[in-house]
Amino acid sequence: MDLVDRARRVCLAPGSDRSMRERLVSEIGRHVRFDGHVFAMTDPVSGVVSSPHATLPMVPTEQLPTLIARRYAHNDPEQWLAWLAGEFGVVDVLGVPLRDRFGEWGFLELWRERDGFSERERRTLTALAPVLTTGLRSAVARSFAQRQTAADYSVVTVIRVVEAGVILLGDDLRVRSETDSAAAALMRLLPPDDEVPPVAAVAFNVGAALLAAEQQRGSAHQDRATPTLPWTRVHLGEGAWMTARADRLADAIAVSISPCAADERVDLFARSHGLSPREVEVLALVLRGFESRQIAGSLTIARTTAEDHLRALLRKTGSRSRQHLIVRALGADLQGSHGWEVPGEVSGGGDLPRPGAGSGIQ
C-alpha cells in the first residue's frame, strides 16, 4: 500500500483531528525525512490558524511568538526560508497549502537542518495534498456530530456555552492581561500538559495576523478607515465553536473570544460538509422553519426538487431528520416537547465567500 492510500485510511479512521494529524505525520516520516514540522488547521475563510500541531526542536519555546509573527509577515516562501535559515539554521522547507473550493483548511510544512528536499520528495507531498485537505475538512465536519439522547426532537437548548472574554497582547505577542472567561475558554483548546500555554494557539495567531495586516496596509499606503480584522473559528469539543478576533487598542492588541454567531457556525457547517450553493440556500430555509412546499415556493422550484435537495442535504451531513440537521448546524441539544425555538434567523444561499489569505503557526 502506497503513502496516499495509507493517508486516506488514516483520514477515514475515527478520532480527533489532532490524533489524525499525528498519525499522518508519522506515515509521512516513513517516506520523507524531516527535522521539524508544522501541520496546522486554519479557518477556511480567513486563513488564520485555528488548531496548530507542530514539532520544532530547533525553536526555543520563548521564541514561538516571534516565529508566529514572522510566519504571517512572510508571504514569500524564499523570504520565509531565508529568515528561518538565519534564526534557526533551517536549510530547506517543503510546504503545501491544503485548500479546495470550499476554503483553506490548513497547511503542512516540513523543515530540514542539513540538506534540501529532493524533487521526488516534493512530488510525494504534492500528491498527498488533496487527501490531507479532504481529511482536514472531514475532521471539521465530524466536529458537528453529537450524541442524541432524546427521542422527541422538539425544544432547542444550546449546549456548552462559551462566555465572552478578552486577552490583551503587546506587539511582541506577549500576554499583558486576560479576563477570567477568556482564560477559561482557552484552557479548553489544548491539553493542560502541552509545552505551550493554551492562550498561544488562538491569541498569538490572530494577533500575528493583525500585525501583518497593519504592516501591509502601511507599506501599501491603503485606507485604514475600514480594515478587515483577523479572525478564526475554533472547535472547543462536543460540537461547540468559538470565534477569536483581533483588533488594535492603543499600544496593545485586543483579542476577543466569544461563541460563534449562528451565521458563522452555519457557514462552517456548510463548507465542511461540501454543500453546493443550492444546498446552502435550502439549509438556510430549513433553519428558518420552512417546510418543503415553502422551500419550493421561495426558490421557485418544484416541490419534488426541493425534497430531492433536502434528501441530499441530510445524506451529506449525516443527519437523520430535519430536526437532527438543525441540531448539528446550530449547536443545540433537543429535549422536551414544546416546539421549535431557532436562535435567530440565518441567512444563506448562493456561492460561498472566497477564502481569504494568511496562515500562521503555533
Side-chain angles (χ1 to χ4, degrees):
M1 184 184 301
D2 65 12
L3 179 57
V4 171
D5 288 335
R6 289 183 181 275
R8 188 174 289 112
R9 288 198 175 192
V10 171
C11 291
L12 292 174
S16 68
D17 64 77
R18 193 174 185 85
S19 64
M20 179 188 73
R21 282 179 284 166
E22 289 173 351
R23 291 180 61 192
L24 287 169
V25 167
S26 178
E27 291 288 351
I28 293 169
R30 297 176 183 176
H31 296 77
V32 181
R33 180 181 59 80
F34 55 87
D35 301 306
H37 84 275
V38 182
F39 194 174
M41 296 181 71
T42 60
D43 187 286
V45 175
S46 70
V48 176
V49 168
S50 59
S51 176
H53 174 57
T55 302
L56 303 172
M58 67 286 291
V59 181
T61 301
E62 62 272 14
Q63 289 190 254
L64 281 172
T66 301
L67 177 71
I68 296 168
R70 289 285 185 168
R71 180 60 177 81
Y72 282 89
H74 289 306
N75 290 324
D76 181 73
E78 292 186 3
Q79 291 182 352
W80 174 233
L81 176 58
W83 185 82
L84 290 176
E87 292 291 325
F88 307 113
V90 176
V91 170
D92 200 3
V93 173
L94 175 53
V96 288
L98 304 176
R99 62 171 70 98
D100 58 19
R101 64 191 182 93
F102 300 105
E104 183 177 346
W105 300 99
F107 63 89
L108 173 62
E109 281 189 0
L110 307 180
W111 297 5
R112 272 192 185 167
E113 295 179 290
R114 294 184 296 279
D115 55 349
F117 292 98
S118 68
E119 284 303 313
R120 181 191 62 79
E121 291 169 326
R122 294 183 185 278
R123 288 195 300 269
T124 296
L125 203 62
T126 299
L128 271 181
V131 175
L132 302 183
T133 301
T134 301
L136 292 187
R137 181 162 62 82
S138 297
V140 173
R142 288 196 299 271
S143 74
F144 289 94
Q146 58 192 60
R147 288 182 311 213
Q148 297 302 314
T149 57
D152 186 333
Y153 301 110
S154 300
V155 174
V156 176
T157 56
V158 176
I159 63 169
R160 244 186 134 167
V161 174
V162 181
E163 293 186 11
V166 176
I167 303 148
L168 290 183
L169 305 175
D171 282 2
D172 58 359
L173 298 185
R174 307 292 175 178
V175 179
R176 292 185 179 179
S177 62
E178 61 187 2
T179 61
D180 291 341
S181 55
L186 289 165
M187 281 299 293
R188 289 157 57 177
L189 299 183
L190 290 176
D193 58 349
D194 267 20
E195 184 178 352
V196 181
V199 66
V202 175
F204 285 0
N205 277 283
V206 291
L210 178 66
L211 291 173
E214 290 176 340
Q215 182 179 3
Q216 291 169 5
R217 287 197 301 272
S219 61
H221 303 290
Q222 295 176 353
D223 181 13
R224 304 186 186 188
T226 57
T228 300
L229 300 177
W231 58 280
T232 189
R233 290 165 287 192
V234 185
H235 183 223
L236 292 180
E238 297 184 14
W241 285 82
M242 55 164 265
T243 301
R245 291 181 173 84
D247 198 355
R248 173 59 62 182
L249 183 63
D251 63 343
I253 299 171
V255 177
S256 63
I257 306 292
S258 61
C260 271
D263 59 343
E264 295 173 340
R265 182 184 171 96
V266 171
D267 169 78
L268 192 59
F269 179 83
R271 291 174 184 277
S272 64
H273 287 94
L275 301 188
S276 69
R278 178 62 90 185
E279 288 163 349
V280 173
E281 292 179 318
V282 172
L283 174 62
L285 296 175
V286 169
L287 296 179
R288 292 170 59 185
F290 281 35
E291 299 296 333
S292 298
R293 176 181 54 79
Q294 295 170 302
I295 293 173
S298 178
L299 299 178
T300 319
I301 58 178
R303 180 169 180 171
T304 54
T305 303
E307 291 172 348
D308 286 342
H309 288 311
L310 278 170
R311 280 191 289 269
L313 193 54
L314 295 176
R315 175 179 53 80
K316 281 189 176 182
T317 61
S319 304
R320 297 186 296 273
S321 64
R322 295 190 195 197
Q323 292 90 339
H324 192 196
L325 173 64
I326 295 175
V327 167
R328 289 188 167 184
L330 293 177
D333 194 13
L334 301 175
Q335 297 176 351
S337 57
H338 301 292
W340 284 105
E341 294 179 5
V342 178
E345 182 174 305
V346 179
S347 61
D351 292 332
L352 294 170
R354 184 175 180 177
S359 297
I361 61 175
Q362 161 57 37

